Amino acid sequence: MFVNVDAVDDSANFPEQVDVVVIGGGIVGTTTAYELACRGVSVALLEKGLIGGEQSSRNWGWVRQQNRDMFELPLAMHSLDRWEALSGEIGRDVGFRRSGIVYTTDNPASLAKWEAWGEKARAHGFNSQLLTAEQAHDKAPGTTSRWIGGVWSPTDGHAEPSMACPAIAAGARERGAYIHQNCAVRGLDMTAGRISGVWTERGLIRTASVICAGGAWSSRFCRRHGVELPAANIMGTTLQTTAGPEVTPGCLTTPKVALRRRLDGSYTLAMPGFGRVEISPQGLRYATKFYAAYRSKLAKKLQIRAGRSFFRGPEAAGRWEFDQVSPFERQRILDPAPDMAQARAALAGLQAEYPALKGVHIARAWGGMIDTTPDMVPVISPVDAIPGFTIASGFSGHGFGIGPAAGQLAADLVTGATPVVDPAPYHLERFAKGSRIRQPEMM
Ligand SMILES: Cc1cc2nc3c(=O)[nH]c(=O)nc-3n(C[C@H](O)[C@H](O)[C@H](O)COP(=O)(O)OP(=O)(O)OC[C@H]3O[C@@H](n4cnc5c(N)ncnc54)[C@H](O)[C@@H]3O)c2cc1C
């Protein structure tokens, strides 16, 4: 099993009652618990496996505003400020560096898209710089391709996925949050139509407020309670190289490869946009809602095939009772196998671009399951049908970067504080039966 995440201690005591239970210890759950604990709210963060063990430690580590959906941009902009502050507040390094992000291209259509996106982003107060061919070469020195231009976002950055969630969870614990790993939430306890607690594998915790931040599992959890959260999980492959000379201090995407320089001198690499979807009961249930997304340019890089997801894991069908072992405990850490052909192609792309990196090898490769919504914008929303239930999920491949602001927004929603950004674009109701689903804008 692939796990590359720092360890974090559980709390000494298991609570009988709290104000808020947060399900899932990824970046969204840990930052939500941290924000609530900072406000003096009693909160329990329950994780079925390890804090940060799924997507939040398996991602590329990019923290970006550039090319985000306009609905997401306010969250992304606020999140950069939170990332900047977190290490200092907590007294632990989350690995955040505001290194800037560069995209280079040899395709005029990409340049035109970045230009159009930049104009819309300026209306939100975000400025990045479109690069000429010469400037693109200056920003990506040592690359062999002929760039016709690029885009540079100096206020973007990156953080370290193996460090961030454990550091934030420890910060939450030190501020009074209960943290418990290997503790799945099996379901909600309901009294007179409202939440009265959660059933965990260690018994009942009484609470009136639950935030579901279960990543790839959230949709299945919600369905058990009759709540439809349309989701499709896409498997992405990432790799870490051995250490090599520094060719960029931060993050760079070329048409062949996306790379990030890590703190230890190695690189995180991937093929931009590539992924795999397995046919599953969940996928079939929501297929029509995802039609537009799958038909878009993304579909060209997506493989769709049969696999184990039909029978096991977050996308499978099947009911469970809350006094029985649940699907969440049967798979403590979702660890899809990487596509090694893709990993090798990413390394070849890197070495074709940077002859200076001919000597680096694949140190390890891993898979990660990305939970997506039909419009590729997250759901951060109360569930109208279940008073006291809030969803913060469906981060569609962007949640590491926007996680800290999403956690703040989720905390605002459950405490009644003024929301840090307008929550309307993230409401679950936009996917209600008969609603027109917006085309994904993400690049
Ligand atoms: C290959 C890859 C590359 C990516 N690159 C980037 C990037 O560069 N930048 C970026 O911003 N984003 C990126 N992402 C997306 C990003 O990683 C996710 O959007 C983000 O981590 C989602 O965080 P989360 O907290 O919602 O989910 P997760 O990190 O998946 O956490 C959910 C947690 O909930 C737990 N859980 C589920 N159900 C239960 C239950 N019933 N009881 C208890 N616990 C439960 C799970 O065990 C899991 O730990 C990438 C993702 C992948 C896979």
Side-chain angles (χ1 to χ4, degrees), residues 275-298:
R276 190 175 75 212
V277 175
E278 286 188 351
I279 297 165
S280 68
Q282 177 176 288
L284 296 173
R285 185 181 191 98
Y286 298 125
T288 53
K289 294 201 186 289
F290 279 87
Y291 181 66
Y294 281 22
R295 242 190 42 201
S296 75
K297 62 184 169 34
L298 269 178

Side-chain angles (χ1 to χ4, degrees), residues 24 27-28 47-48 56 59-60 62 185 238 370 397-401:
I27 192 70
V28 178
E47 164 55 52
K48 66 179 172 58
S56 295
N59 62 73
W60 302 355
W62 294 41
V185 178
T238 310
I370 303 171
H398 325 153
F400 187 67

Side-chain angles (χ1 to χ4, degrees), residues 154-341:
T155 56
D156 280 337
H158 58 94
E160 186 44 64
S162 61
M163 294 159 60
C165 290
I168 297 165
R173 194 193 56 227
E174 284 158 6
R175 285 158 182 77
Y178 293 95
I179 308 288
H180 288 283
Q181 298 167 95
N182 288 307
C183 183
V185 178
R186 293 173 173 170
L188 304 174
D189 187 55
M190 304 292 298
T191 306
R194 336 189 15 110
I195 290 180
S196 45
V198 290
W199 288 103
T200 80
E201 59 182 293
R202 292 174 64 176
L204 180 71
I205 300 178
R206 276 178 285 126
T207 185
S209 177
V210 175
I211 300 176
C212 179
W217 300 84
S218 288
S219 184
R220 189 163 188 194
F221 185 92
C222 287
R223 258 193 319 283
R224 175 66 182 79
H225 292 279
V227 175
E228 296 289 344
L229 169 64
N233 293 335
I234 299 177
M235 202 283 282
T237 291
T238 310
L239 71 98
Q240 180 180 356
T241 66
T242 50
E246 179 172 310
V247 296
T248 172
C251 305
L252 169 71
T253 291
T254 77
K256 290 194 190 107
V257 68
L259 63 141
R260 169 175 70 87
R261 175 87 168 161
R262 297 172 69 118
L263 296 176
D264 65 2
S266 64
Y267 291 88
T268 292
L269 300 187
M271 300 269 288
F274 280 80
R276 190 175 75 212
V277 175
E278 286 188 351
I279 297 165
S280 68
Q282 177 176 288
L284 296 173
R285 185 181 191 98
Y286 298 125
T288 53
K289 294 201 186 289
F290 279 87
Y291 181 66
Y294 281 22
R295 242 190 42 201
S296 75
K297 62 184 169 34
L298 269 178
K300 292 180 202 144
K301 295 179 174 179
L302 271 189
Q303 293 174 356
I304 300 185
R305 57 159 83 155
R308 283 191 183 169
S309 303
F310 203 95
F311 306 103
R312 185 168 185 256
E315 297 164 77
R319 200 184 148 82
W320 64 96
E321 299 305 326
F322 304 150
D323 57 357
Q324 293 172 346
V325 173
S326 68
F328 313 112
E329 293 141 85
R330 288 200 195 97
Q331 231 172 334
R332 295 270 174 203
I333 297 179
L334 198 52
D335 180 33
D339 178 337
M340 288 311 294

Side-chain angles (χ1 to χ4, degrees), residues 22-32 45-47 50-57 165 168-169 213-215:
V22 179
I23 304 173
I27 192 70
V28 178
T30 52
T31 51
T32 303
L45 174 64
L46 306 178
E47 164 55 52
L50 294 175
I51 293 289
E54 293 196 349
Q55 286 178 87
S56 295
S57 63
C165 290
I168 297 165

